[in-house]
Amino acid sequence: MTVAALQAYGERAARREGAVLRQPSIDALVDELDIERLIAEGGLEGTRLQLFLDHYLSGATRLHHPRYMAHQVGVPVPHAALAALIDGFTNNPMAIYEMGPPAAAIEHAVLNWMMTKVGWRGSACGKRCGAGVLTHGGSLANLTALLAARARCAPWSWTEGIPSNLVLVCSPGSHYSIARAAAILGLGAQNAHYAATDALGRIDPELLPGQLRRLCQEGKLPIAVVANAGSTALGLFDPIRDIGAICREHGVWLHVDGAHGASTLLSSRLRHLVNGIEDADSIVWDAHKMLRSPLLCAAVLVRDETALNDAFQQDASYLFHDKDEPGIDFAHRTIECTKAALGLKVFFALAHGGEQALAAVIDRQTDLAQAAADLLRATPGIEVAVQPQTNIVCFRLHGTDALQLAIRKRLTHDGVFYISTAEALGKRWLRLVLMNPNTTIDDIAELRTEVLALGRG
Ligand SMILES: *Cc1c(COP(=O)(O)O)cnc(C)c1O
């Protein structure tokens, strides 16, 4: 029954039937779903389950609808939802090998596959040998990677606390989790310094060496430079190879935040966007974005295989002791203790059509974004921020920032299209993230008509 309901939900959405999203009040939803009574009395089965599912699915935001264009959440390969079911039933937290050997084996193999894509495994990489861990999301992955950077730069921080001169350097277009990581790691959010950028907001490698030198002259110790492989607002890539060369020269850790864009590693056409990523010290790569895996699954990868283990120096006598075991304890590399079988989710997404099927979707979505940008740019009264490098398109109607927000508010209210907005290059943009393989250029043309009509008031 549940599977049939989900299938019908997905198919109706894919046929563009009904709204993309509804926004009832939270109180109305709690009532409609009969949550309080079910908690008190139980009985969520049979017709009650059916009724609950009807309400739940009619209120759910429909990623499967081709007019869902709002956020960087992957539309999962349907088959991959089975991974969540298998994990939910077996419930093997696998950070300690003996607690879930198959889940740990899959995490290990998926990480090795990712590292092969980066160039840290396989015949091409000489003596290189990376390591990694999967986390619940890119934000936690960024924190983990920057903790490893801090451990390399100021290893005594773990026991003594951090010195006051630690800073990091990132792009002004970096995801908010970078500034949060700076705050959580004790640097202070204001010590996440912005790198100088070019006109499109990408880190300018001409100006970076001077900036690093100045920081050193001021007595600061940069734990890392953070480059974007796919900035959140515009989806643009920093020049990773050039930045990597500068970091090496200055002895600074390079972290590449590829939560969104590292998946271009799969595409022979788009791989060039991340050229030089193999010289990074750490990389974050979300599978639940462009790899169409169910939430959550993100990877932290480090080039030096000891870097993650060195970042954590914890004793837990009930877990960590000498054991004669045939596997790996991932718990030594991660903030989390109990952890879901995250690898299973990306594995199911990959193993359905093979990696080439995911690569083809990434190429297709990029083509669509570029065609959408061309279409919008050719429309009088519309400005496009930049030519997209992946599947993110930012545009705006001539007018104020408030106008863009008002348009999005109306669209969200009507539920016919779901888009987001973002600030970049000093302005507020309407933002499309084209995740759904069923979205077509006709959907974009109809969105354009709708936006123009709303703009006329
Ligand atoms: C999405 C994103 C993140 C955060 O990842 P979550 O999985 O949402 O926590 C970090 N950095 C970039 C560049 C992103 O696009």
Side-chain angles (χ1 to χ4, degrees):
M1 172 175 75
T2 303
V3 172
L6 290 172
Q7 193 169 6
Y9 161 86
E11 286 172 359
R12 280 198 64 218
R15 287 197 302 270
R16 299 176 177 72
E17 287 173 29
V20 186
L21 78 167
R22 293 200 300 136
Q23 295 287 283
S25 77
I26 197 161
D27 291 339
L29 273 175
V30 169
D31 280 349
E32 188 179 303
L33 294 167
D34 207 11
I35 293 170
E36 288 168 3
R37 191 157 66 101
L38 284 163
I39 289 174
E41 299 171 10
L44 185 61
E45 52 194 330
T47 49
R48 269 187 158 182
L49 175 58
Q50 181 98 54
L51 200 63
F52 173 85
L53 266 177
D54 286 350
H55 286 306
Y56 188 93
L57 294 177
S58 79
T61 300
R62 298 160 85 207
L63 274 70
H64 300 75
H65 197 302
R67 294 182 177 180
Y68 177 96
M69 309 177 186
H71 295 288
Q72 296 160 284
V73 186
V75 183
V77 174
H79 192 73
L82 290 175
L85 181 65
I86 295 166
D87 185 34
F89 192 84
T90 54
N91 226 24
N92 274 196
M94 40 55 64
I96 297 294
Y97 186 74
E98 67 193 25
M99 294 173 76
I106 289 173
E107 173 154 342
H108 181 63
V110 162
L111 288 165
N112 282 344
W113 170 78
M114 287 175 150
M115 286 189 286
T116 307
K117 293 291 151 197
V118 171
W120 289 348
R121 284 281 154 120
S123 54
C125 66
K127 64 178 168 40
R128 278 188 185 138
C129 187
V133 69
L134 297 177
T135 68
H136 286 88
S139 303
L140 190 54
N142 274 328
L143 177 63
T144 308
L146 291 172
L147 177 70
R150 193 191 75 176
R152 184 53 50 89
C153 180
W156 58 88
S157 300
W158 186 269
T159 37
E160 294 171 22
I162 70 158
S164 61
N165 62 342
L166 298 190
V167 297
L168 65 81
V169 177
C170 63
S171 145
S174 60
H175 187 262
Y176 71 83
S177 59
I178 299 297
R180 276 198 180 174
I184 296 167
L185 291 171
L187 280 65
Q190 69 183 18
N191 288 313
H193 290 262
Y194 287 154
T197 61
D198 66 10
L200 298 182
R202 291 172 297 199
I203 292 179
D204 186 337
E206 300 283 316
L207 299 176
L208 186 59
Q211 245 180 321
L212 291 174
R213 264 196 308 276
R214 271 194 305 283
L215 285 170
C216 289
Q217 281 158 9
E218 291 165 15
K220 308 284 190 200
L221 200 52
I223 67 163
V225 171
V226 182
N228 281 321
S231 61
T232 306
L234 298 173
L236 295 182
F237 290 70
D238 288 323
I240 297 171
R241 189 179 294 294
D242 294 347
I243 296 170
I246 295 161
C247 285
R248 260 196 316 285
E249 202 174 303
H250 288 77
V252 178
W253 182 284
L254 172 61
H255 174 59
V256 174
D257 183 357
H260 188 78
S263 293
T264 54
L265 283 164
L266 270 61
S267 158
S268 50
R269 274 176 43 203
L270 300 173
R271 169 71 170 77
H272 68 95
L273 293 169
V274 289
N275 275 352
I277 197 169
E278 62 280 6
D279 296 330
D281 294 284
S282 56
I283 301 168
V284 162
W285 180 356
D286 275 14
H288 61 242
K289 291 184 171 171
M290 298 300 283
L291 296 185
R292 304 190 63 197
S293 307
L295 301 175
L296 297 168
C297 180
V300 191
L301 308 173
V302 289
R303 183 159 48 89
D304 171 355
E305 68 172 330
T306 65
L308 275 175
N309 292 64
D310 289 352
F312 296 97
Q313 304 168 25
Q314 211 69 73
D315 285 330
S317 61
Y318 64 104
L319 293 177
F320 307 153
H321 52 85
D322 284 340
K323 285 174 283 193
D324 182 16
E325 66 177 10
I328 299 175
D329 290 346
F330 283 98
H332 299 288
R333 303 180 184 173
T334 171
I335 293 167
E336 296 162 272
C337 177
T338 303
K339 197 176 89 171
L342 304 177
L344 203 58
K345 298 180 178 180
V346 55
F347 169 70
F348 264 67
L350 280 162
H352 187 57
E355 59 184 277
Q356 282 314 314
L358 292 184
V361 173
I362 293 166
D363 285 347
R364 180 199 179 273
Q365 300 310 96
T366 303
D367 289 343
L368 178 64
Q370 289 174 347
D374 293 342
L375 180 77
L376 292 163
R377 196 184 296 106
T379 307
I382 289 182
E383 180 189 355
V384 171
V386 294
Q387 187 61 7
Q389 287 188 299
T390 55
N391 61 334
I392 298 179
V393 187
C394 285
F395 71 102
R396 54 186 267 135
L397 276 191
H398 290 167
T400 59
D401 284 0
L403 174 66
Q404 323 305 322
L405 287 169
I407 288 172
R408 178 186 119 99
K409 191 170 173 190
R410 269 301 296 276
L411 288 172
T412 307
H413 177 265
D414 296 347
V416 187
F417 289 91
Y418 183 25
I419 70 172
S420 52
T421 76
E423 277 186 284
L425 313 178
K427 292 180 195 166
R428 173 73 61 176
W429 304 89
L430 298 172
R431 174 171 172 269
L432 312 181
V433 188
L434 302 173
M435 302 300 285
N436 188 322
N438 291 321
T439 303
T440 66
I441 195 72
D442 291 341
D443 291 309
I444 310 287
E446 291 199 26
L447 169 69
R448 175 183 64 169
T449 305
E450 189 79 20
V451 167
L452 288 171
L454 290 174
R456 282 193 294 270

